[in-house]
Amino acid sequence: MKELRIRVLAGVFVVAGILSWAGARLWNSFGTLPSVPVAAPVVLALIAVVLAATALSLRARLKAQRERQHDAKGVDPLMAARAVVFGQASALVAALVAGMYGGTGVFLLESLDIPARRDQAIYAGFSVLAGIGVIAAAIFLERVCKLPEDDDNGNGPGTAPAA
């Protein structure tokens, strides 16, 4: 499984933001603008909490397993892999959604004197922050479930194998 790349997520965020900003300008030329739902930052924040809770739970179980505690619950490798895939998918979608709301929010900054647009800009800003929270939680989950490298056992390049 390939590791999540920050550059890919940043690229998705920027491209979605630019397209969303251009779309908002075009849509506004027709006289209206689609609203940013109040539920957007709430849903993204809930996903971030689920990812962080999963990562913390897995980290505690893996630590107990490494320390060979007698009551340690093992971690099913398939379950850990599913959690990582869920985290990666969530991070990609969050980058896309955060970019979309970020572009819309940047467009709305031009008209903060209108109360409805100011509220929409605030919702868009919170959506971007919650999207960043999802990405951070997904990266944390991925780091928790990362397998140790082969070089960690002391037999990497430049070291002689133990006799």
Side-chain angles (χ1 to χ4, degrees), residues 120-152:
Q120 295 299 305
I122 291 170
Y123 300 152
F126 282 138
S127 296
V128 171
L129 290 176
I132 292 170
V134 169
I135 293 168
I139 290 172
F140 177 57
L141 174 63
E142 186 178 61
R143 299 300 186 261
V144 165
C145 293
K146 188 175 181 178
L147 293 174
E149 298 294 329
D150 291 335
D151 293 339
D152 290 346

PDB file of all heavy atoms in Angstrom, residues 120-152:
ATOM      1  N   GLN A 120     -21.785  32.711   4.936  1.00  0.00           N
ATOM      2  CA  GLN A 120     -21.325  31.657   4.039  1.00  0.00           C
ATOM      3  C   GLN A 120     -19.792  31.570   4.034  1.00  0.00           C
ATOM      4  O   GLN A 120     -19.228  30.476   3.988  1.00  0.00           O
ATOM      5  CB  GLN A 120     -21.836  31.908   2.618  1.00  0.00           C
ATOM      6  CG  GLN A 120     -23.331  31.835   2.476  1.00  0.00           C
ATOM      7  CD  GLN A 120     -23.862  30.477   2.832  1.00  0.00           C
ATOM      8  OE1 GLN A 120     -23.426  29.479   2.285  1.00  0.00           O
ATOM      9  NE2 GLN A 120     -24.799  30.431   3.762  1.00  0.00           N
ATOM     10  N   ALA A 121     -19.119  32.720   4.101  1.00  0.00           N
ATOM     11  CA  ALA A 121     -17.656  32.729   4.142  1.00  0.00           C
ATOM     12  C   ALA A 121     -17.150  32.085   5.438  1.00  0.00           C
ATOM     13  O   ALA A 121     -16.152  31.357   5.428  1.00  0.00           O
ATOM     14  CB  ALA A 121     -17.134  34.157   4.019  1.00  0.00           C
ATOM     15  N   ILE A 122     -17.855  32.315   6.529  1.00  0.00           N
ATOM     16  CA  ILE A 122     -17.468  31.706   7.814  1.00  0.00           C
ATOM     17  C   ILE A 122     -17.648  30.193   7.755  1.00  0.00           C
ATOM     18  O   ILE A 122     -16.770  29.430   8.177  1.00  0.00           O
ATOM     19  CB  ILE A 122     -18.282  32.328   8.975  1.00  0.00           C
ATOM     20  CG1 ILE A 122     -17.836  33.776   9.187  1.00  0.00           C
ATOM     21  CG2 ILE A 122     -18.120  31.516  10.257  1.00  0.00           C
ATOM     22  CD1 ILE A 122     -18.717  34.567  10.117  1.00  0.00           C
ATOM     23  N   TYR A 123     -18.774  29.741   7.208  1.00  0.00           N
ATOM     24  CA  TYR A 123     -19.002  28.294   7.070  1.00  0.00           C
ATOM     25  C   TYR A 123     -17.934  27.667   6.168  1.00  0.00           C
ATOM     26  O   TYR A 123     -17.454  26.566   6.433  1.00  0.00           O
ATOM     27  CB  TYR A 123     -20.387  28.002   6.498  1.00  0.00           C
ATOM     28  CG  TYR A 123     -21.545  28.508   7.321  1.00  0.00           C
ATOM     29  CD1 TYR A 123     -22.753  28.835   6.725  1.00  0.00           C
ATOM     30  CD2 TYR A 123     -21.435  28.667   8.704  1.00  0.00           C
ATOM     31  CE1 TYR A 123     -23.828  29.306   7.471  1.00  0.00           C
ATOM     32  CE2 TYR A 123     -22.498  29.135   9.449  1.00  0.00           C
ATOM     33  CZ  TYR A 123     -23.689  29.464   8.830  1.00  0.00           C
ATOM     34  OH  TYR A 123     -24.739  29.921   9.565  1.00  0.00           O
ATOM     35  N   ALA A 124     -17.586  28.378   5.095  1.00  0.00           N
ATOM     36  CA  ALA A 124     -16.553  27.869   4.196  1.00  0.00           C
ATOM     37  C   ALA A 124     -15.206  27.786   4.907  1.00  0.00           C
ATOM     38  O   ALA A 124     -14.471  26.802   4.745  1.00  0.00           O
ATOM     39  CB  ALA A 124     -16.451  28.749   2.954  1.00  0.00           C
ATOM     40  N   GLY A 125     -14.884  28.783   5.710  1.00  0.00           N
ATOM     41  CA  GLY A 125     -13.625  28.766   6.461  1.00  0.00           C
ATOM     42  C   GLY A 125     -13.570  27.622   7.454  1.00  0.00           C
ATOM     43  O   GLY A 125     -12.545  26.928   7.566  1.00  0.00           O
ATOM     44  N   PHE A 126     -14.659  27.396   8.168  1.00  0.00           N
ATOM     45  CA  PHE A 126     -14.702  26.261   9.100  1.00  0.00           C
ATOM     46  C   PHE A 126     -14.620  24.929   8.362  1.00  0.00           C
ATOM     47  O   PHE A 126     -14.042  23.966   8.866  1.00  0.00           O
ATOM     48  CB  PHE A 126     -15.955  26.310   9.967  1.00  0.00           C
ATOM     49  CG  PHE A 126     -15.871  27.294  11.101  1.00  0.00           C
ATOM     50  CD1 PHE A 126     -16.950  28.103  11.410  1.00  0.00           C
ATOM     51  CD2 PHE A 126     -14.726  27.416  11.864  1.00  0.00           C
ATOM     52  CE1 PHE A 126     -16.886  29.010  12.449  1.00  0.00           C
ATOM     53  CE2 PHE A 126     -14.648  28.319  12.914  1.00  0.00           C
ATOM     54  CZ  PHE A 126     -15.729  29.125  13.199  1.00  0.00           C
ATOM     55  N   SER A 127     -15.189  24.867   7.167  1.00  0.00           N
ATOM     56  CA  SER A 127     -15.108  23.641   6.369  1.00  0.00           C
ATOM     57  C   SER A 127     -13.669  23.351   5.960  1.00  0.00           C
ATOM     58  O   SER A 127     -13.227  22.200   5.978  1.00  0.00           O
ATOM     59  CB  SER A 127     -15.986  23.749   5.124  1.00  0.00           C
ATOM     60  OG  SER A 127     -17.341  23.862   5.479  1.00  0.00           O
ATOM     61  N   VAL A 128     -12.935  24.393   5.601  1.00  0.00           N
ATOM     62  CA  VAL A 128     -11.523  24.211   5.247  1.00  0.00           C
ATOM     63  C   VAL A 128     -10.739  23.725   6.467  1.00  0.00           C
ATOM     64  O   VAL A 128      -9.935  22.794   6.366  1.00  0.00           O
ATOM     65  CB  VAL A 128     -10.929  25.518   4.682  1.00  0.00           C
ATOM     66  CG1 VAL A 128      -9.416  25.411   4.524  1.00  0.00           C
ATOM     67  CG2 VAL A 128     -11.571  25.854   3.342  1.00  0.00           C
ATOM     68  N   LEU A 129     -10.978  24.325   7.613  1.00  0.00           N
ATOM     69  CA  LEU A 129     -10.279  23.896   8.837  1.00  0.00           C
ATOM     70  C   LEU A 129     -10.622  22.453   9.196  1.00  0.00           C
ATOM     71  O   LEU A 129      -9.730  21.671   9.568  1.00  0.00           O
ATOM     72  CB  LEU A 129     -10.627  24.822   9.998  1.00  0.00           C
ATOM     73  CG  LEU A 129     -10.064  26.241   9.920  1.00  0.00           C
ATOM     74  CD1 LEU A 129     -10.575  27.074  11.087  1.00  0.00           C
ATOM     75  CD2 LEU A 129      -8.555  26.216   9.882  1.00  0.00           C
ATOM     76  N   ALA A 130     -11.876  22.090   9.082  1.00  0.00           N
ATOM     77  CA  ALA A 130     -12.276  20.712   9.382  1.00  0.00           C
ATOM     78  C   ALA A 130     -11.684  19.739   8.366  1.00  0.00           C
ATOM     79  O   ALA A 130     -11.283  18.628   8.723  1.00  0.00           O
ATOM     80  CB  ALA A 130     -13.803  20.602   9.404  1.00  0.00           C
ATOM     81  N   GLY A 131     -11.584  20.150   7.107  1.00  0.00           N
ATOM     82  CA  GLY A 131     -10.956  19.318   6.093  1.00  0.00           C
ATOM     83  C   GLY A 131      -9.483  19.089   6.393  1.00  0.00           C
ATOM     84  O   GLY A 131      -8.958  17.978   6.223  1.00  0.00           O
ATOM     85  N   ILE A 132      -8.803  20.117   6.865  1.00  0.00           N
ATOM     86  CA  ILE A 132      -7.405  19.971   7.269  1.00  0.00           C
ATOM     87  C   ILE A 132      -7.306  19.027   8.466  1.00  0.00           C
ATOM     88  O   ILE A 132      -6.376  18.224   8.561  1.00  0.00           O
ATOM     89  CB  ILE A 132      -6.787  21.352   7.562  1.00  0.00           C
ATOM     90  CG1 ILE A 132      -6.670  22.139   6.257  1.00  0.00           C
ATOM     91  CG2 ILE A 132      -5.428  21.225   8.241  1.00  0.00           C
ATOM     92  CD1 ILE A 132      -6.311  23.595   6.436  1.00  0.00           C
ATOM     93  N   GLY A 133      -8.289  19.087   9.355  1.00  0.00           N
ATOM     94  CA  GLY A 133      -8.322  18.154  10.489  1.00  0.00           C
ATOM     95  C   GLY A 133      -8.475  16.713  10.035  1.00  0.00           C
ATOM     96  O   GLY A 133      -7.841  15.807  10.587  1.00  0.00           O
ATOM     97  N   VAL A 134      -9.296  16.477   9.013  1.00  0.00           N
ATOM     98  CA  VAL A 134      -9.458  15.120   8.466  1.00  0.00           C
ATOM     99  C   VAL A 134      -8.135  14.643   7.876  1.00  0.00           C
ATOM    100  O   VAL A 134      -7.708  13.506   8.113  1.00  0.00           O
ATOM    101  CB  VAL A 134     -10.573  15.082   7.394  1.00  0.00           C
ATOM    102  CG1 VAL A 134     -10.563  13.758   6.649  1.00  0.00           C
ATOM    103  CG2 VAL A 134     -11.929  15.316   8.019  1.00  0.00           C
ATOM    104  N   ILE A 135      -7.464  15.504   7.144  1.00  0.00           N
ATOM    105  CA  ILE A 135      -6.186  15.134   6.535  1.00  0.00           C
ATOM    106  C   ILE A 135      -5.153  14.816   7.613  1.00  0.00           C
ATOM    107  O   ILE A 135      -4.432  13.809   7.524  1.00  0.00           O
ATOM    108  CB  ILE A 135      -5.698  16.255   5.591  1.00  0.00           C
ATOM    109  CG1 ILE A 135      -6.633  16.351   4.386  1.00  0.00           C
ATOM    110  CG2 ILE A 135      -4.255  16.027   5.162  1.00  0.00           C
ATOM    111  CD1 ILE A 135      -6.420  17.584   3.539  1.00  0.00           C
ATOM    112  N   ALA A 136      -5.085  15.631   8.651  1.00  0.00           N
ATOM    113  CA  ALA A 136      -4.129  15.388   9.739  1.00  0.00           C
ATOM    114  C   ALA A 136      -4.429  14.070  10.456  1.00  0.00           C
ATOM    115  O   ALA A 136      -3.513  13.288  10.752  1.00  0.00           O
ATOM    116  CB  ALA A 136      -4.155  16.554  10.726  1.00  0.00           C
ATOM    117  N   ALA A 137      -5.692  13.812  10.719  1.00  0.00           N
ATOM    118  CA  ALA A 137      -6.067  12.565  11.390  1.00  0.00           C
ATOM    119  C   ALA A 137      -5.771  11.356  10.506  1.00  0.00           C
ATOM    120  O   ALA A 137      -5.324  10.312  10.997  1.00  0.00           O
ATOM    121  CB  ALA A 137      -7.551  12.595  11.771  1.00  0.00           C
ATOM    122  N   ALA A 138      -5.982  11.483   9.208  1.00  0.00           N
ATOM    123  CA  ALA A 138      -5.706  10.379   8.289  1.00  0.00           C
ATOM    124  C   ALA A 138      -4.209  10.088   8.217  1.00  0.00           C
ATOM    125  O   ALA A 138      -3.794   8.922   8.201  1.00  0.00           O
ATOM    126  CB  ALA A 138      -6.242  10.702   6.901  1.00  0.00           C
ATOM    127  N   ILE A 139      -3.401  11.123   8.198  1.00  0.00           N
ATOM    128  CA  ILE A 139      -1.945  10.928   8.174  1.00  0.00           C
ATOM    129  C   ILE A 139      -1.480  10.301   9.488  1.00  0.00           C
ATOM    130  O   ILE A 139      -0.626   9.410   9.488  1.00  0.00           O
ATOM    131  CB  ILE A 139      -1.233  12.263   7.886  1.00  0.00           C
ATOM    132  CG1 ILE A 139      -1.499  12.650   6.429  1.00  0.00           C
ATOM    133  CG2 ILE A 139       0.262  12.162   8.153  1.00  0.00           C
ATOM    134  CD1 ILE A 139      -1.029  14.028   6.056  1.00  0.00           C
ATOM    135  N   PHE A 140      -2.058  10.728  10.603  1.00  0.00           N
ATOM    136  CA  PHE A 140      -1.718  10.140  11.903  1.00  0.00           C
ATOM    137  C   PHE A 140      -2.093   8.654  11.921  1.00  0.00           C
ATOM    138  O   PHE A 140      -1.306   7.813  12.361  1.00  0.00           O
ATOM    139  CB  PHE A 140      -2.427  10.902  13.016  1.00  0.00           C
ATOM    140  CG  PHE A 140      -2.214  10.342  14.383  1.00  0.00           C
ATOM    141  CD1 PHE A 140      -0.938  10.190  14.907  1.00  0.00           C
ATOM    142  CD2 PHE A 140      -3.288   9.954  15.170  1.00  0.00           C
ATOM    143  CE1 PHE A 140      -0.737   9.667  16.175  1.00  0.00           C
ATOM    144  CE2 PHE A 140      -3.103   9.438  16.427  1.00  0.00           C
ATOM    145  CZ  PHE A 140      -1.821   9.298  16.937  1.00  0.00           C
ATOM    146  N   LEU A 141      -3.273   8.324  11.421  1.00  0.00           N
ATOM    147  CA  LEU A 141      -3.709   6.924  11.362  1.00  0.00           C
ATOM    148  C   LEU A 141      -2.768   6.102  10.495  1.00  0.00           C
ATOM    149  O   LEU A 141      -2.391   4.985  10.845  1.00  0.00           O
ATOM    150  CB  LEU A 141      -5.137   6.836  10.823  1.00  0.00           C
ATOM    151  CG  LEU A 141      -5.702   5.434  10.567  1.00  0.00           C
ATOM    152  CD1 LEU A 141      -5.787   4.643  11.870  1.00  0.00           C
ATOM    153  CD2 LEU A 141      -7.073   5.532   9.928  1.00  0.00           C
ATOM    154  N   GLU A 142      -2.362   6.659   9.383  1.00  0.00           N
ATOM    155  CA  GLU A 142      -1.442   5.949   8.498  1.00  0.00           C
ATOM    156  C   GLU A 142      -0.097   5.712   9.182  1.00  0.00           C
ATOM    157  O   GLU A 142       0.481   4.635   9.064  1.00  0.00           O
ATOM    158  CB  GLU A 142      -1.250   6.765   7.222  1.00  0.00           C
ATOM    159  CG  GLU A 142      -0.439   6.060   6.166  1.00  0.00           C
ATOM    160  CD  GLU A 142      -0.326   6.886   4.910  1.00  0.00           C
ATOM    161  OE1 GLU A 142       0.217   8.008   4.985  1.00  0.00           O
ATOM    162  OE2 GLU A 142      -0.791   6.413   3.868  1.00  0.00           O
ATOM    163  N   ARG A 143       0.388   6.687   9.923  1.00  0.00           N
ATOM    164  CA  ARG A 143       1.670   6.536  10.630  1.00  0.00           C
ATOM    165  C   ARG A 143       1.561   5.499  11.747  1.00  0.00           C
ATOM    166  O   ARG A 143       2.506   4.760  11.995  1.00  0.00           O
ATOM    167  CB  ARG A 143       2.142   7.866  11.218  1.00  0.00           C
ATOM    168  CG  ARG A 143       2.391   8.975  10.231  1.00  0.00           C
ATOM    169  CD  ARG A 143       3.441   8.644   9.199  1.00  0.00           C
ATOM    170  NE  ARG A 143       3.750   9.769   8.357  1.00  0.00           N
ATOM    171  CZ  ARG A 143       3.263   9.978   7.150  1.00  0.00           C
ATOM    172  NH1 ARG A 143       2.400   9.132   6.633  1.00  0.00           N
ATOM    173  NH2 ARG A 143       3.610  11.015   6.438  1.00  0.00           N
ATOM    174  N   VAL A 144       0.422   5.446  12.409  1.00  0.00           N
ATOM    175  CA  VAL A 144       0.224   4.461  13.476  1.00  0.00           C
ATOM    176  C   VAL A 144       0.260   3.046  12.915  1.00  0.00           C
ATOM    177  O   VAL A 144       0.847   2.139  13.521  1.00  0.00           O
ATOM    178  CB  VAL A 144      -1.112   4.725  14.217  1.00  0.00           C
ATOM    179  CG1 VAL A 144      -1.521   3.542  15.056  1.00  0.00           C
ATOM    180  CG2 VAL A 144      -0.999   5.967  15.081  1.00  0.00           C
ATOM    181  N   CYS A 145      -0.338   2.843  11.760  1.00  0.00           N
ATOM    182  CA  CYS A 145      -0.442   1.500  11.182  1.00  0.00           C
ATOM    183  C   CYS A 145       0.744   1.129  10.301  1.00  0.00           C
ATOM    184  O   CYS A 145       0.757   0.041   9.733  1.00  0.00           O
ATOM    185  CB  CYS A 145      -1.728   1.393  10.360  1.00  0.00           C
ATOM    186  SG  CYS A 145      -3.218   1.493  11.354  1.00  0.00           S
ATOM    187  N   LYS A 146       1.736   2.001  10.197  1.00  0.00           N
ATOM    188  CA  LYS A 146       2.887   1.719   9.348  1.00  0.00           C
ATOM    189  C   LYS A 146       3.710   0.590   9.940  1.00  0.00           C
ATOM    190  O   LYS A 146       4.011   0.573  11.137  1.00  0.00           O
ATOM    191  CB  LYS A 146       3.746   2.974   9.210  1.00  0.00           C
ATOM    192  CG  LYS A 146       4.854   2.841   8.218  1.00  0.00           C
ATOM    193  CD  LYS A 146       5.573   4.160   8.043  1.00  0.00           C
ATOM    194  CE  LYS A 146       6.664   3.999   7.017  1.00  0.00           C
ATOM    195  NZ  LYS A 146       7.357   5.252   6.792  1.00  0.00           N
ATOM    196  N   LEU A 147       4.088  -0.346   9.084  1.00  0.00           N
ATOM    197  CA  LEU A 147       4.916  -1.464   9.519  1.00  0.00           C
ATOM    198  C   LEU A 147       6.357  -1.004   9.678  1.00  0.00           C
ATOM    199  O   LEU A 147       6.818  -0.131   8.956  1.00  0.00           O
ATOM    200  CB  LEU A 147       4.855  -2.600   8.497  1.00  0.00           C
ATOM    201  CG  LEU A 147       3.503  -3.290   8.362  1.00  0.00           C
ATOM    202  CD1 LEU A 147       3.556  -4.287   7.208  1.00  0.00           C
ATOM    203  CD2 LEU A 147       3.135  -3.997   9.637  1.00  0.00           C
ATOM    204  N   PRO A 148       7.091  -1.613  10.609  1.00  0.00           N
ATOM    205  CA  PRO A 148       8.498  -1.246  10.757  1.00  0.00           C
ATOM    206  C   PRO A 148       9.265  -1.590   9.477  1.00  0.00           C
ATOM    207  O   PRO A 148       8.986  -2.586   8.817  1.00  0.00           O
ATOM    208  CB  PRO A 148       8.992  -2.101  11.925  1.00  0.00           C
ATOM    209  CG  PRO A 148       7.805  -2.759  12.501  1.00  0.00           C
ATOM    210  CD  PRO A 148       6.665  -2.622  11.554  1.00  0.00           C
ATOM    211  N   GLU A 149      10.236  -0.760   9.170  1.00  0.00           N
ATOM    212  CA  GLU A 149      11.059  -0.989   7.981  1.00  0.00           C
ATOM    213  C   GLU A 149      12.024  -2.139   8.233  1.00  0.00           C
ATOM    214  O   GLU A 149      12.391  -2.431   9.355  1.00  0.00           O
ATOM    215  CB  GLU A 149      11.844   0.281   7.630  1.00  0.00           C
ATOM    216  CG  GLU A 149      10.978   1.462   7.285  1.00  0.00           C
ATOM    217  CD  GLU A 149      10.191   1.272   5.999  1.00  0.00           C
ATOM    218  OE1 GLU A 149      10.681   0.581   5.092  1.00  0.00           O
ATOM    219  OE2 GLU A 149       9.082   1.794   5.921  1.00  0.00           O
ATOM    220  N   ASP A 150      12.443  -2.771   7.159  1.00  0.00           N
ATOM    221  CA  ASP A 150      13.400  -3.870   7.277  1.00  0.00           C
ATOM    222  C   ASP A 150      14.737  -3.398   7.819  1.00  0.00           C
ATOM    223  O   ASP A 150      15.452  -4.151   8.460  1.00  0.00           O
ATOM    224  CB  ASP A 150      13.616  -4.534   5.917  1.00  0.00           C
ATOM    225  CG  ASP A 150      12.381  -5.280   5.455  1.00  0.00           C
ATOM    226  OD1 ASP A 150      11.583  -5.676   6.326  1.00  0.00           O
ATOM    227  OD2 ASP A 150      12.209  -5.455   4.244  1.00  0.00           O
ATOM    228  N   ASP A 151      15.090  -2.130   7.557  1.00  0.00           N
ATOM    229  CA  ASP A 151      16.383  -1.615   8.003  1.00  0.00           C
ATOM    230  C   ASP A 151      16.420  -1.367   9.504  1.00  0.00           C
ATOM    231  O   ASP A 151      17.482  -1.127  10.063  1.00  0.00           O
ATOM    232  CB  ASP A 151      16.721  -0.323   7.268  1.00  0.00           C
ATOM    233  CG  ASP A 151      16.965  -0.581   5.793  1.00  0.00           C
ATOM    234  OD1 ASP A 151      17.259  -1.742   5.429  1.00  0.00           O
ATOM    235  OD2 ASP A 151      16.871   0.377   5.019  1.00  0.00           O
ATOM    236  N   ASP A 152      15.304  -1.381  10.181  1.00  0.00           N
ATOM    237  CA  ASP A 152      15.269  -1.132  11.619  1.00  0.00           C
ATOM    238  C   ASP A 152      15.870  -2.271  12.430  1.00  0.00           C
ATOM    239  O   ASP A 152      16.143  -2.107  13.614  1.00  0.00           O
ATOM    240  CB  ASP A 152      13.838  -0.889  12.092  1.00  0.00           C
ATOM    241  CG  ASP A 152      13.296   0.439  11.593  1.00  0.00           C
ATOM    242  OD1 ASP A 152      14.085   1.271  11.113  1.00  0.00           O
ATOM    243  OD2 ASP A 152      12.079   0.633  11.691  1.00  0.00           O
TER     244      ASP A 152
END
